[in-house]
Amino acid sequence: MDDELLNDFIEESVDLIEKVKVALAHWDNTEDKVEAINSIYRWVHTIKGGCGIFNYTTTAHLAHSLETYLGDLRKEAQKISAAHISHIHQEIEKIENSFFSQNSEVSTSVEIKQEPTLEFKTEYFKPYVDDNTELLNDLIKDGFSFFEVILPKDLADKLIEKLKEYGFSPIDSYEREEGIATLCFVKLEAESKYIQSIENLVTHYQGQWCSPKPEVQKKDVPKSQAPAQTQEVLRVPLETVNSILDHVWELFLVRNQMNHLFKENKNFLKDNHAFVQQFESLDNLLERNIHELESKTMSMRLSPIKKVFDRLEKVVEEYCQKSSKKIQLHIGGAGIDLDKKVLDQLNEPLIHLIRNAIDHGVEDSTQRIQKGKSTNGNVTLSASLQGNEVHIFVKDDGKGIDANKILESAKRKGLATEHLKTEQEILELIFASGFSTAEEVTDVSGRGVGMDAVRKSIQELGGNVSLETKVGKGTTFKITLPLTMSVSKCLIVEVKGLEYGISTKSVQSIEKISPHALKKNGVDEYYEFHGDLLPCYSLDVSEKDFRREPDLPISNIHVCVTKVQDKLVAFKVDNILQTLNVVIKPLPTLMEKHPYLSGVSILPAGNPIFILNVYENLLRNIQDRSGAKNVKRTA
Amino acid sequence: MLNEQLNEDDFQEQVIHLTFSYGKKRFCAPVDTIKEIVDLPVIIPTPVSLEHTLGIFNLRGTVIPVFDPFDFFIKEFEQRGPLFTHFLQKQKTRLLIFEIKSGVLSSIPVTEVNKVELSQNELGSDHFIEINSVPYEYFDVNKVWEKK
């Protein structure tokens, strides 16, 4: 994981340095110089932060200097001269050179091949270990553990047979005076059911688990002797990846059509068994390869949000090492996959929010104890899918944000405050550029660079950031982002003759029933679910009925149960056709947006479908139907 | 031949256009504004009423909207429901696909698509073009979608 994070950091920093250079090169032609200098400032701030996490100390210091210089400069952006630009250029080049020289130091720092990291109770296995260093190192890397035992000579054979039954072959044995010294390896998680037996054996025969040594000495070697980096990275234009994905899907459709053609003509081919068999075999192979290709190509576009969350964990770890505050980071919803482009842009704002939470939000242990809180501050980072949006929360249980202090600070800075009526409007001031109530600028935050940058970054992604806070209790920042592309498991349902996709995350339970099984009260319908009556709504997306025979009665319907505003409700669909993993894309650009439509997708057969926002649809239904509550059974 | 008086038109660059019928009107558009012409595919109708939108279709993995910017088909669409595509098929309708800007595609249902070469003089500056004494309205893709 750390290697992956480091690679991401290196890539991101290279991008940011390049962005700064391009911005400087186009400075004379830039219309909005205030925005341009603010952007350069944010990028340098991000480079500095990342360098701090990954111990690029020299580069971090250089970035910090430049950040300070830019901080003063941006107060009077219109007066920035060619001399200033030249100076910034020189500084960014120093940062770049320092960055790459530190980077190459990291990559040339190699692990000296030492003895495998096994600490033995005895010296018996040293010759074996010396001769098999590489193998043992590989096994340790793959998560294998080793144990040594001294078995009584008369029982050794039987016990070794037992170990073999458990799947562990001894890799080395020596006959000694005291018994047969035996060395074995085991991958604990694979053979966990035998672990207790092994433990008993090891304990009984005075053996031990050979643990890896905690540190491996590193030695700088000249670049020429440095081994090549193990992971090669290729930067590919986004357009190319999109084009490949389109072709993969087309390939999939063509394959489906061929398959369909074959099935239609199977009767004519039934006497040619060999052909039919071969065709089916090749077709299966083709389908598997296409799926594999699709999966690999999708992985180029999508990435789990966990990657960003892992990085934030490091931010918190690093902070806790330098500070007296104790912070517990809780993470939820890390399994969501998002477009890489979105994730790249989310890094910066989330780092700012986390830093603000831990630096300004959470109190130190003494203050927390005085307030009756736990010693450790709690910061929660979570993500969830809601309809066609991703919601990301950064929540702390710290001191909250005092609207009065915000107002005072705004007045001191000369900002207009007369028009602000509500507390929420006052709190929105924290998103103003350069606004900070922090008494001191720390290495972590307080430059007022975070919140305006956060909002701007999120808005560039088509999203928004909002906050809720309570003085003394804590603050929650909520980032809402539209889904640009995601793979989601969907129910393909039929309503009034049209097929739609509904995310399975929207549905808790499904039942096929007769329409008459629903209880009625006038035009309102109710579905009995585990002893409770839930209001049941039609998923009335379409005003038109697209069924070929709309007057034909429906013998069965499917009722799905979901939660809307923390209450269980039911909705009905005419049919549930299948469950599929589909790629949800946003509605085509020129199409009018509608709250009931989350996006579009393409089914394997080739026809496109609309993806429904069930939540919005039902919310509207609930608002229309007045006074309905869950009815409790009385008998 | 060398003694013939050469017409100024003979030196004009010919620009290829496509003429087509959309609804009950004849239009003309420069060929470089048209990305593709496809035979009528399966059009999935929009379930809710969206302005000037008939539905969507799949073109090699890309979902493209089918528009009706002048609402010529809105009545048939509402009356015929699932038979609307069948109605279009009977008319030998094809879809004309435009690229409004990079990566942004849209389409309209058209019939009677023909190629014609026009000189700058013939194009003129009006919003309509006369071809063989028949008037064709000039279909400026960007203006049509800007208005809508």
Side-chain angles (χ1 to χ4, degrees), chain A residues 246 249-250 253 498 500 541-548 585 588-592 594 597 600 602 606 608 610, chain B residues 44-51 53 56-58 60-63 65 67 77 81-83 100 104-106 145:
Chain A
D246 286 343
W249 284 325
E250 197 183 340
L253 292 175
L498 282 185
Y500 302 97
V541 191
S542 172
E543 295 127 5
K544 306 179 257 294
D545 196 323
F546 288 92
R547 286 177 294 169
R548 297 275 172 182
K585 294 192 194 181
T589 310
L590 293 174
M591 268 182 80
E592 193 188 327
H594 194 282
L597 304 178
V600 292
I602 298 175
F610 288 98
Chain B
I44 302 299
T46 49
V48 291
S49 292
L50 298 177
E51 225 182 351
T53 312
I56 53 174
F57 75 99
N58 169 26
R60 298 187 296 276
T62 302
V63 175
F67 285 113
F77 183 59
L83 297 174
I100 312 300
V104 178
L105 299 172
S106 71
W145 263 273

Side-chain angles (χ1 to χ4, degrees), chain A residues 103-322:
Chain A
N103 199 26
S104 60
E105 280 169 20
V106 167
S107 69
T108 56
S109 170
V110 295
E111 291 176 15
I112 296 293
K113 272 194 179 164
Q114 296 194 345
E115 293 94 14
T117 56
L118 298 174
E119 287 177 357
F120 295 104
K121 199 171 174 179
T122 66
E123 284 296 304
Y124 301 146
F125 301 107
K126 202 170 179 318
Y128 174 82
V129 166
D130 284 345
D131 290 341
N132 295 279
T133 307
E134 214 174 301
L135 164 68
L136 293 175
N137 275 334
D138 285 345
L139 288 172
I140 291 166
K141 269 189 211 165
D142 288 344
F144 282 84
S145 283
F146 295 80
F147 64 90
E148 55 172 334
V149 282
I150 301 175
L151 305 171
K153 288 179 191 176
D154 54 344
L155 290 178
D157 289 340
K158 279 188 186 164
L159 289 168
I160 286 172
E161 281 308 310
K162 205 71 194 166
L163 285 171
K164 285 180 184 172
E165 260 180 60
Y166 291 156
F168 315 130
S169 291
I171 55 173
D172 194 28
S173 292
Y174 291 96
E175 187 171 331
R176 299 287 162 189
E177 223 178 87
E178 52 274 41
I180 308 288
T182 303
L183 176 68
C184 291
F185 64 80
V186 56
K187 191 151 189 173
L188 293 177
E189 59 271 26
E191 281 86 27
S192 56
K193 60 181 176 176
Y194 297 123
I195 291 307
Q196 195 53 57
S197 307
I198 302 290
E199 291 274 11
N200 293 342
L201 184 87
V202 171
T203 312
H204 189 74
Y205 292 110
Q206 293 136 36
Q208 72 154 23
W209 289 94
C210 311
S211 55
K213 284 181 189 159
E215 279 175 23
V216 175
Q217 283 171 21
K218 287 184 187 178
K219 185 179 171 186
D220 286 337
V221 297
K223 272 191 209 177
S224 55
Q225 292 177 23
Q229 282 193 341
T230 50
Q231 190 184 32
E232 276 191 64
V233 171
L234 191 68
R235 297 169 74 81
V236 177
L238 191 61
E239 208 178 292
T240 307
V241 175
N242 284 342
S243 176
I244 293 170
L245 210 46
D246 286 343
H247 284 298
V248 168
W249 284 325
E250 197 183 340
L251 201 59
F252 187 72
L253 292 175
V254 169
R255 178 255 156 198
N256 279 349
Q257 283 163 7
M258 279 175 58
N259 193 265
H260 182 69
L261 196 65
F262 172 75
K263 279 179 181 158
E264 276 194 333
N265 292 284
K266 207 169 175 177
N267 277 336
F268 299 118
L269 299 162
K270 64 183 176 194
D271 293 331
N272 195 339
H273 296 296
F275 171 81
V276 169
Q277 263 185 331
Q278 273 194 315
F279 184 92
E280 283 176 342
S281 166
L282 287 171
D283 181 57
N284 284 336
L285 191 61
L286 182 62
E287 193 189 7
R288 274 204 308 276
N289 274 289
I290 291 172
H291 275 304
E292 189 61 32
L293 193 57
E294 187 196 12
S295 162
K296 290 280 182 281
T297 316
M298 281 304 298
S299 73
M300 284 196 263
R301 273 308 300 266
L302 298 179
S303 198
I305 200 171
K306 186 180 182 303
K307 282 182 98 173
V308 173
F309 285 6
D310 284 344
R311 190 163 177 187
L312 296 171
E313 250 187 298
K314 277 201 101 61
V315 168
V316 174
E317 265 172 39
E318 192 217 20
Y319 178 85
C320 290
Q321 281 164 12
K322 292 179 186 170

Side-chain angles (χ1 to χ4, degrees), chain A residues 316-317 319-320 323-330 354 357-359 361-365 368 375-380 396-397:
Chain A
V316 174
E317 265 172 39
Y319 178 85
C320 290
S323 151
S324 58
K325 285 186 192 173
K326 292 182 177 46
I327 310 278
Q328 187 77 36
L329 180 67
H330 308 274
I354 287 280
I358 57 185
D359 209 24
V362 173
E363 311 96 328
D364 62 42
S365 309
R368 287 183 68 82
T375 323
N376 288 356
N378 291 294
V379 174
T380 306
D396 68 73
D397 68 347

